[in-house]
PDB file of all heavy atoms in Angstrom:
ATOM      1  N   TYR L  11     -48.070  37.788  44.533  1.00  0.00           N
ATOM      2  CA  TYR L  11     -48.553  37.449  43.196  1.00  0.00           C
ATOM      3  C   TYR L  11     -49.619  36.367  43.309  1.00  0.00           C
ATOM      4  O   TYR L  11     -49.514  35.465  44.160  1.00  0.00           O
ATOM      5  CB  TYR L  11     -47.399  36.956  42.324  1.00  0.00           C
ATOM      6  CG  TYR L  11     -46.378  38.031  42.027  1.00  0.00           C
ATOM      7  CD1 TYR L  11     -45.251  38.198  42.829  1.00  0.00           C
ATOM      8  CD2 TYR L  11     -46.544  38.891  40.951  1.00  0.00           C
ATOM      9  CE1 TYR L  11     -44.319  39.186  42.571  1.00  0.00           C
ATOM     10  CE2 TYR L  11     -45.612  39.894  40.679  1.00  0.00           C
ATOM     11  CZ  TYR L  11     -44.508  40.031  41.489  1.00  0.00           C
ATOM     12  OH  TYR L  11     -43.588  41.019  41.234  1.00  0.00           O
ATOM     13  N   PHE L  12     -50.642  36.442  42.424  1.00  0.00           N
ATOM     14  CA  PHE L  12     -51.787  35.537  42.486  1.00  0.00           C
ATOM     15  C   PHE L  12     -52.072  34.972  41.090  1.00  0.00           C
ATOM     16  O   PHE L  12     -52.110  35.720  40.106  1.00  0.00           O
ATOM     17  CB  PHE L  12     -53.049  36.278  42.953  1.00  0.00           C
ATOM     18  CG  PHE L  12     -52.936  36.972  44.275  1.00  0.00           C
ATOM     19  CD1 PHE L  12     -52.274  38.193  44.386  1.00  0.00           C
ATOM     20  CD2 PHE L  12     -53.508  36.429  45.410  1.00  0.00           C
ATOM     21  CE1 PHE L  12     -52.181  38.853  45.601  1.00  0.00           C
ATOM     22  CE2 PHE L  12     -53.429  37.085  46.635  1.00  0.00           C
ATOM     23  CZ  PHE L  12     -52.761  38.297  46.732  1.00  0.00           C
ATOM     24  N   ASP L  13     -52.294  33.659  41.032  1.00  0.00           N
ATOM     25  CA  ASP L  13     -52.662  33.045  39.761  1.00  0.00           C
ATOM     26  C   ASP L  13     -53.641  31.916  40.024  1.00  0.00           C
ATOM     27  O   ASP L  13     -53.450  31.119  40.951  1.00  0.00           O
ATOM     28  CB  ASP L  13     -51.440  32.514  39.024  1.00  0.00           C
ATOM     29  CG  ASP L  13     -51.802  31.982  37.644  1.00  0.00           C
ATOM     30  OD1 ASP L  13     -52.122  32.791  36.764  1.00  0.00           O
ATOM     31  OD2 ASP L  13     -51.781  30.756  37.454  1.00  0.00           O
ATOM     32  N   GLY L  14     -54.688  31.849  39.203  1.00  0.00           N
ATOM     33  CA  GLY L  14     -55.730  30.854  39.398  1.00  0.00           C
ATOM     34  C   GLY L  14     -55.579  29.661  38.480  1.00  0.00           C
ATOM     35  O   GLY L  14     -55.062  29.762  37.369  1.00  0.00           O
ATOM     36  N   GLY L  15     -56.073  28.526  38.953  1.00  0.00           N
ATOM     37  CA  GLY L  15     -56.148  27.319  38.146  1.00  0.00           C
ATOM     38  C   GLY L  15     -57.601  26.949  37.929  1.00  0.00           C
ATOM     39  O   GLY L  15     -58.343  26.744  38.889  1.00  0.00           O
ATOM     40  N   ASN L  16     -58.018  26.880  36.666  1.00  0.00           N
ATOM     41  CA  ASN L  16     -59.397  26.603  36.248  1.00  0.00           C
ATOM     42  C   ASN L  16     -60.286  27.837  36.428  1.00  0.00           C
ATOM     43  O   ASN L  16     -59.881  28.850  36.995  1.00  0.00           O
ATOM     44  CB  ASN L  16     -59.999  25.404  36.985  1.00  0.00           C
ATOM     45  CG  ASN L  16     -59.270  24.102  36.686  1.00  0.00           C
ATOM     46  OD1 ASN L  16     -58.512  24.020  35.722  1.00  0.00           O
ATOM     47  ND2 ASN L  16     -59.491  23.093  37.510  1.00  0.00           N
ATOM     48  N   GLU L  17     -61.513  27.722  35.941  1.00  0.00           N
ATOM     49  CA  GLU L  17     -62.497  28.787  36.051  1.00  0.00           C
ATOM     50  C   GLU L  17     -63.695  28.291  36.856  1.00  0.00           C
ATOM     51  O   GLU L  17     -63.910  27.085  36.998  1.00  0.00           O
ATOM     52  CB  GLU L  17     -62.966  29.228  34.660  1.00  0.00           C
ATOM     53  CG  GLU L  17     -61.853  29.795  33.793  1.00  0.00           C
ATOM     54  CD  GLU L  17     -62.346  30.161  32.411  1.00  0.00           C
ATOM     55  OE1 GLU L  17     -63.569  30.110  32.170  1.00  0.00           O
ATOM     56  OE2 GLU L  17     -61.505  30.479  31.557  1.00  0.00           O
ATOM     57  N   ALA L  18     -64.472  29.226  37.381  1.00  0.00           N
ATOM     58  CA  ALA L  18     -65.641  28.875  38.193  1.00  0.00           C
ATOM     59  C   ALA L  18     -66.797  28.459  37.285  1.00  0.00           C
ATOM     60  O   ALA L  18     -67.842  29.106  37.214  1.00  0.00           O
ATOM     61  CB  ALA L  18     -66.034  30.039  39.086  1.00  0.00           C
ATOM     62  N   ASP L  19     -66.590  27.379  36.568  1.00  0.00           N
ATOM     63  CA  ASP L  19     -67.571  26.851  35.614  1.00  0.00           C
ATOM     64  C   ASP L  19     -67.656  25.345  35.833  1.00  0.00           C
ATOM     65  O   ASP L  19     -66.801  24.585  35.368  1.00  0.00           O
ATOM     66  CB  ASP L  19     -67.141  27.168  34.180  1.00  0.00           C
ATOM     67  CG  ASP L  19     -68.159  26.710  33.146  1.00  0.00           C
ATOM     68  OD1 ASP L  19     -69.092  25.972  33.500  1.00  0.00           O
ATOM     69  OD2 ASP L  19     -68.012  27.092  31.970  1.00  0.00           O
ATOM     70  N   SER L  20     -68.688  24.909  36.549  1.00  0.00           N
ATOM     71  CA  SER L  20     -68.809  23.496  36.902  1.00  0.00           C
ATOM     72  C   SER L  20     -69.158  22.621  35.715  1.00  0.00           C
ATOM     73  O   SER L  20     -69.119  21.397  35.816  1.00  0.00           O
ATOM     74  CB  SER L  20     -69.861  23.317  38.006  1.00  0.00           C
ATOM     75  OG  SER L  20     -71.143  23.723  37.544  1.00  0.00           O
ATOM     76  N   THR L  21     -69.491  23.232  34.557  1.00  0.00           N
ATOM     77  CA  THR L  21     -69.734  22.431  33.353  1.00  0.00           C
ATOM     78  C   THR L  21     -68.412  22.001  32.714  1.00  0.00           C
ATOM     79  O   THR L  21     -68.391  21.086  31.888  1.00  0.00           O
ATOM     80  CB  THR L  21     -70.560  23.221  32.311  1.00  0.00           C
ATOM     81  OG1 THR L  21     -69.790  24.341  31.835  1.00  0.00           O
ATOM     82  CG2 THR L  21     -71.853  23.726  32.926  1.00  0.00           C
ATOM     83  N   GLN L  22     -67.310  22.649  33.109  1.00  0.00           N
ATOM     84  CA  GLN L  22     -66.004  22.295  32.555  1.00  0.00           C
ATOM     85  C   GLN L  22     -65.033  21.771  33.605  1.00  0.00           C
ATOM     86  O   GLN L  22     -64.169  20.953  33.288  1.00  0.00           O
ATOM     87  CB  GLN L  22     -65.364  23.523  31.896  1.00  0.00           C
ATOM     88  CG  GLN L  22     -66.129  24.102  30.720  1.00  0.00           C
ATOM     89  CD  GLN L  22     -65.337  25.224  30.063  1.00  0.00           C
ATOM     90  OE1 GLN L  22     -64.240  25.013  29.541  1.00  0.00           O
ATOM     91  NE2 GLN L  22     -65.887  26.427  30.109  1.00  0.00           N
ATOM     92  N   TYR L  23     -65.174  22.250  34.850  1.00  0.00           N
ATOM     93  CA  TYR L  23     -64.193  21.927  35.874  1.00  0.00           C
ATOM     94  C   TYR L  23     -64.877  21.467  37.154  1.00  0.00           C
ATOM     95  O   TYR L  23     -66.027  21.805  37.421  1.00  0.00           O
ATOM     96  CB  TYR L  23     -63.325  23.155  36.179  1.00  0.00           C
ATOM     97  CG  TYR L  23     -62.631  23.738  34.974  1.00  0.00           C
ATOM     98  CD1 TYR L  23     -63.096  24.917  34.376  1.00  0.00           C
ATOM     99  CD2 TYR L  23     -61.515  23.124  34.431  1.00  0.00           C
ATOM    100  CE1 TYR L  23     -62.463  25.458  33.274  1.00  0.00           C
ATOM    101  CE2 TYR L  23     -60.871  23.659  33.324  1.00  0.00           C
ATOM    102  CZ  TYR L  23     -61.350  24.821  32.747  1.00  0.00           C
ATOM    103  OH  TYR L  23     -60.725  25.339  31.649  1.00  0.00           O
ATOM    104  N   ASP L  24     -64.110  20.722  37.950  1.00  0.00           N
ATOM    105  CA  ASP L  24     -64.598  20.270  39.258  1.00  0.00           C
ATOM    106  C   ASP L  24     -64.109  21.160  40.395  1.00  0.00           C
ATOM    107  O   ASP L  24     -64.710  21.173  41.474  1.00  0.00           O
ATOM    108  CB  ASP L  24     -64.127  18.835  39.536  1.00  0.00           C
ATOM    109  CG  ASP L  24     -64.689  17.832  38.548  1.00  0.00           C
ATOM    110  OD1 ASP L  24     -65.857  17.987  38.141  1.00  0.00           O
ATOM    111  OD2 ASP L  24     -63.955  16.897  38.171  1.00  0.00           O
ATOM    112  N   ILE L  25     -63.055  21.912  40.153  1.00  0.00           N
ATOM    113  CA  ILE L  25     -62.342  22.553  41.248  1.00  0.00           C
ATOM    114  C   ILE L  25     -61.670  23.825  40.749  1.00  0.00           C
ATOM    115  O   ILE L  25     -61.293  23.917  39.583  1.00  0.00           O
ATOM    116  CB  ILE L  25     -61.289  21.555  41.800  1.00  0.00           C
ATOM    117  CG1 ILE L  25     -60.588  22.061  43.059  1.00  0.00           C
ATOM    118  CG2 ILE L  25     -60.268  21.188  40.739  1.00  0.00           C
ATOM    119  CD1 ILE L  25     -59.694  20.995  43.695  1.00  0.00           C
ATOM    120  N   VAL L  26     -61.570  24.800  41.623  1.00  0.00           N
ATOM    121  CA  VAL L  26     -60.839  26.032  41.343  1.00  0.00           C
ATOM    122  C   VAL L  26     -59.853  26.266  42.479  1.00  0.00           C
ATOM    123  O   VAL L  26     -60.203  26.120  43.656  1.00  0.00           O
ATOM    124  CB  VAL L  26     -61.786  27.245  41.227  1.00  0.00           C
ATOM    125  CG1 VAL L  26     -61.010  28.553  41.312  1.00  0.00           C
ATOM    126  CG2 VAL L  26     -62.557  27.205  39.924  1.00  0.00           C
ATOM    127  N   THR L  27     -58.632  26.619  42.122  1.00  0.00           N
ATOM    128  CA  THR L  27     -57.628  26.977  43.116  1.00  0.00           C
ATOM    129  C   THR L  27     -57.009  28.318  42.754  1.00  0.00           C
ATOM    130  O   THR L  27     -56.640  28.537  41.599  1.00  0.00           O
ATOM    131  CB  THR L  27     -56.516  25.911  43.212  1.00  0.00           C
ATOM    132  OG1 THR L  27     -57.072  24.684  43.674  1.00  0.00           O
ATOM    133  CG2 THR L  27     -55.405  26.353  44.169  1.00  0.00           C
ATOM    134  N   LEU L  28     -56.922  29.203  43.714  1.00  0.00           N
ATOM    135  CA  LEU L  28     -56.150  30.425  43.573  1.00  0.00           C
ATOM    136  C   LEU L  28     -54.895  30.269  44.417  1.00  0.00           C
ATOM    137  O   LEU L  28     -54.970  30.042  45.627  1.00  0.00           O
ATOM    138  CB  LEU L  28     -56.941  31.648  44.050  1.00  0.00           C
ATOM    139  CG  LEU L  28     -56.196  32.986  43.957  1.00  0.00           C
ATOM    140  CD1 LEU L  28     -55.828  33.314  42.504  1.00  0.00           C
ATOM    141  CD2 LEU L  28     -57.021  34.113  44.561  1.00  0.00           C
ATOM    142  N   ALA L  29     -53.745  30.349  43.761  1.00  0.00           N
ATOM    143  CA  ALA L  29     -52.463  30.241  44.459  1.00  0.00           C
ATOM    144  C   ALA L  29     -51.809  31.600  44.549  1.00  0.00           C
ATOM    145  O   ALA L  29     -51.964  32.450  43.664  1.00  0.00           O
ATOM    146  CB  ALA L  29     -51.547  29.263  43.730  1.00  0.00           C
ATOM    147  N   ALA L  30     -51.068  31.824  45.619  1.00  0.00           N
ATOM    148  CA  ALA L  30     -50.362  33.083  45.817  1.00  0.00           C
ATOM    149  C   ALA L  30     -48.990  32.812  46.423  1.00  0.00           C
ATOM    150  O   ALA L  30     -48.770  31.793  47.086  1.00  0.00           O
ATOM    151  CB  ALA L  30     -51.158  34.013  46.723  1.00  0.00           C
ATOM    152  N   LEU L  31     -48.080  33.731  46.174  1.00  0.00           N
ATOM    153  CA  LEU L  31     -46.774  33.752  46.822  1.00  0.00           C
ATOM    154  C   LEU L  31     -46.554  35.161  47.338  1.00  0.00           C
ATOM    155  O   LEU L  31     -46.785  36.133  46.614  1.00  0.00           O
ATOM    156  CB  LEU L  31     -45.662  33.392  45.846  1.00  0.00           C
ATOM    157  CG  LEU L  31     -45.321  31.919  45.635  1.00  0.00           C
ATOM    158  CD1 LEU L  31     -44.282  31.790  44.525  1.00  0.00           C
ATOM    159  CD2 LEU L  31     -44.792  31.280  46.923  1.00  0.00           C
ATOM    160  N   ALA L  32     -46.093  35.272  48.582  1.00  0.00           N
ATOM    161  CA  ALA L  32     -45.946  36.584  49.210  1.00  0.00           C
ATOM    162  C   ALA L  32     -44.588  36.687  49.880  1.00  0.00           C
ATOM    163  O   ALA L  32     -44.103  35.733  50.492  1.00  0.00           O
ATOM    164  CB  ALA L  32     -47.062  36.800  50.239  1.00  0.00           C
ATOM    165  N   GLY L  33     -43.978  37.877  49.760  1.00  0.00           N
ATOM    166  CA  GLY L  33     -42.699  38.094  50.413  1.00  0.00           C
ATOM    167  C   GLY L  33     -42.214  39.515  50.214  1.00  0.00           C
ATOM    168  O   GLY L  33     -42.836  40.306  49.506  1.00  0.00           O
ATOM    169  N   ASP L  34     -41.075  39.830  50.833  1.00  0.00           N
ATOM    170  CA  ASP L  34     -40.540  41.180  50.694  1.00  0.00           C
ATOM    171  C   ASP L  34     -39.581  41.255  49.512  1.00  0.00           C
ATOM    172  O   ASP L  34     -39.297  40.262  48.841  1.00  0.00           O
ATOM    173  CB  ASP L  34     -39.892  41.658  51.989  1.00  0.00           C
ATOM    174  CG  ASP L  34     -38.673  40.844  52.397  1.00  0.00           C
ATOM    175  OD1 ASP L  34     -37.999  40.269  51.513  1.00  0.00           O
ATOM    176  OD2 ASP L  34     -38.364  40.792  53.600  1.00  0.00           O
ATOM    177  N   ALA L  35     -39.078  42.454  49.240  1.00  0.00           N
ATOM    178  CA  ALA L  35     -38.285  42.688  48.039  1.00  0.00           C
ATOM    179  C   ALA L  35     -37.013  41.844  48.006  1.00  0.00           C
ATOM    180  O   ALA L  35     -36.607  41.364  46.940  1.00  0.00           O
ATOM    181  CB  ALA L  35     -37.931  44.168  47.941  1.00  0.00           C
ATOM    182  N   ILE L  36     -36.377  41.653  49.140  1.00  0.00           N
ATOM    183  CA  ILE L  36     -35.143  40.863  49.186  1.00  0.00           C
ATOM    184  C   ILE L  36     -35.407  39.430  48.757  1.00  0.00           C
ATOM    185  O   ILE L  36     -34.668  38.847  47.955  1.00  0.00           O
ATOM    186  CB  ILE L  36     -34.526  40.908  50.594  1.00  0.00           C
ATOM    187  CG1 ILE L  36     -34.045  42.315  50.923  1.00  0.00           C
ATOM    188  CG2 ILE L  36     -33.383  39.908  50.718  1.00  0.00           C
ATOM    189  CD1 ILE L  36     -33.536  42.481  52.331  1.00  0.00           C
ATOM    190  N   HIS L  37     -36.480  38.848  49.275  1.00  0.00           N
ATOM    191  CA  HIS L  37     -36.794  37.463  48.942  1.00  0.00           C
ATOM    192  C   HIS L  37     -37.226  37.332  47.486  1.00  0.00           C
ATOM    193  O   HIS L  37     -36.910  36.337  46.817  1.00  0.00           O
ATOM    194  CB  HIS L  37     -37.875  36.936  49.883  1.00  0.00           C
ATOM    195  CG  HIS L  37     -37.427  36.885  51.309  1.00  0.00           C
ATOM    196  ND1 HIS L  37     -38.142  37.439  52.346  1.00  0.00           N
ATOM    197  CD2 HIS L  37     -36.306  36.361  51.866  1.00  0.00           C
ATOM    198  CE1 HIS L  37     -37.497  37.251  53.477  1.00  0.00           C
ATOM    199  NE2 HIS L  37     -36.386  36.605  53.212  1.00  0.00           N
ATOM    200  N   TRP L  38     -37.940  38.325  46.970  1.00  0.00           N
ATOM    201  CA  TRP L  38     -38.343  38.267  45.567  1.00  0.00           C
ATOM    202  C   TRP L  38     -37.136  38.395  44.643  1.00  0.00           C
ATOM    203  O   TRP L  38     -37.062  37.723  43.608  1.00  0.00           O
ATOM    204  CB  TRP L  38     -39.374  39.342  45.262  1.00  0.00           C
ATOM    205  CG  TRP L  38     -40.759  38.938  45.637  1.00  0.00           C
ATOM    206  CD1 TRP L  38     -41.555  39.512  46.582  1.00  0.00           C
ATOM    207  CD2 TRP L  38     -41.507  37.850  45.087  1.00  0.00           C
ATOM    208  NE1 TRP L  38     -42.765  38.847  46.653  1.00  0.00           N
ATOM    209  CE2 TRP L  38     -42.756  37.823  45.742  1.00  0.00           C
ATOM    210  CE3 TRP L  38     -41.245  36.899  44.115  1.00  0.00           C
ATOM    211  CZ2 TRP L  38     -43.747  36.878  45.456  1.00  0.00           C
ATOM    212  CZ3 TRP L  38     -42.221  35.948  43.814  1.00  0.00           C
ATOM    213  CH2 TRP L  38     -43.442  35.956  44.482  1.00  0.00           C
ATOM    214  N   THR L  39     -36.196  39.243  44.974  1.00  0.00           N
ATOM    215  CA  THR L  39     -35.005  39.391  44.139  1.00  0.00           C
ATOM    216  C   THR L  39     -34.231  38.085  44.065  1.00  0.00           C
ATOM    217  O   THR L  39     -33.784  37.657  42.987  1.00  0.00           O
ATOM    218  CB  THR L  39     -34.111  40.512  44.695  1.00  0.00           C
ATOM    219  OG1 THR L  39     -34.822  41.747  44.658  1.00  0.00           O
ATOM    220  CG2 THR L  39     -32.839  40.645  43.871  1.00  0.00           C
ATOM    221  N   ASN L  40     -34.062  37.439  45.204  1.00  0.00           N
ATOM    222  CA  ASN L  40     -33.363  36.161  45.252  1.00  0.00           C
ATOM    223  C   ASN L  40     -34.106  35.107  44.434  1.00  0.00           C
ATOM    224  O   ASN L  40     -33.513  34.370  43.626  1.00  0.00           O
ATOM    225  CB  ASN L  40     -33.230  35.710  46.708  1.00  0.00           C
ATOM    226  CG  ASN L  40     -32.609  34.330  46.833  1.00  0.00           C
ATOM    227  OD1 ASN L  40     -31.604  34.019  46.193  1.00  0.00           O
ATOM    228  ND2 ASN L  40     -33.211  33.492  47.659  1.00  0.00           N
ATOM    229  N   PHE L  41     -35.420  35.031  44.611  1.00  0.00           N
ATOM    230  CA  PHE L  41     -36.227  34.041  43.887  1.00  0.00           C
ATOM    231  C   PHE L  41     -36.180  34.270  42.379  1.00  0.00           C
ATOM    232  O   PHE L  41     -35.969  33.328  41.598  1.00  0.00           O
ATOM    233  CB  PHE L  41     -37.678  34.106  44.380  1.00  0.00           C
ATOM    234  CG  PHE L  41     -38.639  33.345  43.502  1.00  0.00           C
ATOM    235  CD1 PHE L  41     -38.765  31.972  43.619  1.00  0.00           C
ATOM    236  CD2 PHE L  41     -39.399  34.003  42.549  1.00  0.00           C
ATOM    237  CE1 PHE L  41     -39.636  31.263  42.796  1.00  0.00           C
ATOM    238  CE2 PHE L  41     -40.278  33.310  41.726  1.00  0.00           C
ATOM    239  CZ  PHE L  41     -40.391  31.932  41.851  1.00  0.00           C
ATOM    240  N   GLU L  42     -36.375  35.503  41.951  1.00  0.00           N
ATOM    241  CA  GLU L  42     -36.430  35.792  40.518  1.00  0.00           C
ATOM    242  C   GLU L  42     -35.098  35.515  39.839  1.00  0.00           C
ATOM    243  O   GLU L  42     -35.060  35.037  38.692  1.00  0.00           O
ATOM    244  CB  GLU L  42     -36.865  37.241  40.313  1.00  0.00           C
ATOM    245  CG  GLU L  42     -38.331  37.461  40.654  1.00  0.00           C
ATOM    246  CD  GLU L  42     -38.719  38.913  40.769  1.00  0.00           C
ATOM    247  OE1 GLU L  42     -37.826  39.789  40.644  1.00  0.00           O
ATOM    248  OE2 GLU L  42     -39.910  39.189  40.986  1.00  0.00           O
TER     249      GLU L  42
END
């Protein structure tokens, strides 16, 4: 799963980060 923080617009933001979490079905079931 991927989710971004801020937009690529330097008139509003200084920084953009895209975060992700990756795993198999067993780990996702436990996490959820």
